[in-house]
């Protein structure tokens, strides 16, 4: 996995956390904590499940600096510029796509079976957002019945990536196609309100 993708994923997730904190009356410290948890939370749980030591952000502290800088810059911008609400969901969609395939690829690299790698891709993609929403006292998006395709998009993209990796000649394109599947599904779900059936009690 190219390093720039990992840094971009961390930065985008940190930005989504700052945008989510808007209106919650958090100070700069609270916002940066929220951004860090969102940016490294999913990857931390993935590494713990895989038994990877040290954790990715401890081994490479530049991920922490990337999240902090992205958070502080975004915090400064949002204080003076009224950004559209849609930007939060778009930033979150990019983080979902990048982290979903990052997690799947890392799990496969550590010998995880395909289905386990897909599940860890989902964890990597959504766990940071879950922690973000819990800390801001909201029901996590992934658990909201009215939320459009979310974890399902990661599942589809990670499944596509695993199948291409197993059945097609090796190619970096598989990674980007998997990310594209997640991103397109998530954005399409936001646009046309695509969601799974809801259990009615």
């Amino acid at each position: 996995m190219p390093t720039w993708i990992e840094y971009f994923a961390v930065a985008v997730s940190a930005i989504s956390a700052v945008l989510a904190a808007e209106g919650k009356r958090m100070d700069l410290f609270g916002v940066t904590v929220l951004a860090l948890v969102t940016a490294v939370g999913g990857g931390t749980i993935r590494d713990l499940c895989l038994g990877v030591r040290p954790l990715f952000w401890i081994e490479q502290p530049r991920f922490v600096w990337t999240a902090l800088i992205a958070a502080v810059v975004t915090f400064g911008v949002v204080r003076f510029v009224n950004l559209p609400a849609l930007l939060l969901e778009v930033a979150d969609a990019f983080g979902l796509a990048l982290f979903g395939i990052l997690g799947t690829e890392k799990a496969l690299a550590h010998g995880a079976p395909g289905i386990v790698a897909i599940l860890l891709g989902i964890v990597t993609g959504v766990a940071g957002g879950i922690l973000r929403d819990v800390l801001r006292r909201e029901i996590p998006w992934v658990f909201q019945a009215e939320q459009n395709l979310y974890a399902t998009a990661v599942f589809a993209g990670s499944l596509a990536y695993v199948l291409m990796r197993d059945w097609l000649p090796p190619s970096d394109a598989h990674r980007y196609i998997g990310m594209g599947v997640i991103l397109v599904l998530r954005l399409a779900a936001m646009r046309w309100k695509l969601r799974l059936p809801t259990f009615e009690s």
Side-chain angles (χ1 to χ4, degrees):
M1 177 69 71
T3 308
W4 71 266
I5 293 181
E6 299 183 73
Y7 285 110
F8 186 54
V10 166
V12 167
S13 295
I15 291 170
S16 77
V18 177
L19 296 175
E22 190 176 8
K24 296 295 182 180
R25 301 192 60 81
M26 290 185 180
D27 61 13
L28 181 58
F29 176 77
V31 168
T32 52
V33 169
L34 195 68
L36 276 174
V37 168
T38 306
V40 306
T44 298
I45 295 173
R46 175 204 62 217
D47 284 358
L48 291 173
C49 290
L50 291 171
V52 175
R53 297 293 188 280
L55 300 175
F56 78 101
W57 54 271
I58 295 177
E59 184 180 25
Q60 300 183 53
R62 284 177 293 181
F63 287 121
V64 176
W65 284 112
T66 300
L68 288 175
I69 292 169
V72 170
V73 170
T74 308
F75 180 82
V77 170
V78 224
R79 290 192 67 202
F80 301 104
V81 180
N82 187 21
L83 298 175
L86 181 64
L87 190 60
L88 166 58
E89 292 197 61
V90 172
D92 187 79
F94 272 93
L96 201 64
L98 295 167
F99 272 133
I101 300 302
L102 272 169
T104 304
E105 188 168 335
K106 186 166 186 178
L108 290 170
H110 282 80
I115 186 61
V116 175
I118 291 170
L119 292 176
L120 287 177
I122 295 172
V123 167
T124 310
V126 308
I130 290 175
L131 295 172
R132 173 198 68 205
D133 294 339
V134 168
L135 289 176
R136 66 190 185 108
R137 298 181 181 180
E138 299 281 351
I139 298 174
W141 284 1
V142 70
F143 299 137
Q144 294 181 21
E146 66 276 9
Q147 184 57 251
N148 305 314
L149 297 181
Y150 197 75
T152 309
V154 185
F155 175 81
S158 296
L159 176 62
Y161 172 72
V162 169
L163 291 176
M164 286 186 291
R165 184 179 180 273
D166 288 346
W167 295 98
L168 297 178
S171 171
D172 288 342
H174 302 163
R175 173 189 304 133
Y176 301 111
I177 292 172
M179 290 177 181
V181 169
I182 297 173
L183 186 60
V184 168
L185 273 178
R186 178 63 183 144
L187 294 177
M190 289 161 49
R191 173 65 178 83
W192 290 292
K193 308 298 182 187
L194 308 177
R195 60 190 62 164
L196 294 177
T198 303
F199 180 77
E200 299 291 345
S201 59

